[in-house]
Amino acid sequence: SLPMSNQLVSSCMALMVLFSVLLIIPKTEAQQRCTKVIAPETQCLLLNCREECFKTLNGFGTCVENPPGSDNYTCNCMYNCPKPPPAAIDHFNVSRGLNASQV
């Protein structure tokens, strides 16, 4: 019966590895990750942190020791950084350039 349970454990491990790889891949694919501290003055409660992070930034919240070694935890929210369209930036720079030359 021992080899059977070992086989079961190893197939569970393989599934877990597969799932974690599948979860990681889409996030790293050219999308920048940003981190924002939510309610830094309050003690982090994991459920509240995750809910707030998901609602406000569609991200994933975790409680992080801050400063390290203390009993103080802050809610860190990891989310996909908003990427402004390049056209908008170019237009912004051009219009600023015109304004500067007019002054």
Side-chain angles (χ1 to χ4, degrees), residues 1 5 8 16 34 38 40 49 56 59 61 73 86 101:
S1 68
S5 67
L8 186 69
M16 283 169 63
C34 281
I38 296 178
C49 176
T56 55
Y73 287 84
S101 62

Side-chain angles (χ1 to χ4, degrees), residues 63-100:
C63 292
V64 177
E65 235 179 336
N66 188 24
S70 71
D71 285 335
N72 189 35
Y73 287 84
T74 52
C75 176
N76 279 28
C77 183
M78 274 188 298
Y79 61 99
N80 291 333
C81 300
K83 281 201 288 189
I89 295 170
D90 293 344
H91 177 73
F92 180 70
N93 288 344
V94 167
S95 65
R96 278 183 65 191
L98 286 175
N99 290 345

Side-chain angles (χ1 to χ4, degrees), residues 7-61:
Q7 196 176 2
L8 186 69
V9 167
S10 60
S11 48
C12 281
M13 288 296 281
L15 272 175
M16 283 169 63
V17 169
L18 183 68
F19 274 123
S20 48
V21 167
L22 288 175
L23 285 170
I24 292 164
I25 289 169
K27 290 177 184 168
T28 53
E29 219 179 63
Q31 181 63 274
Q32 286 287 133
R33 304 290 284 159
C34 281
T35 306
K36 183 180 179 183
V37 177
I38 296 178
E41 66 286 343
T42 59
Q43 184 73 353
C44 182
L45 295 169
L46 191 58
L47 284 175
N48 297 0
C49 176
R50 288 208 172 143
E51 184 185 351
E52 198 57 39
C53 176
F54 187 74
K55 276 198 306 197
T56 55
L57 296 162
N58 198 25
F60 182 75

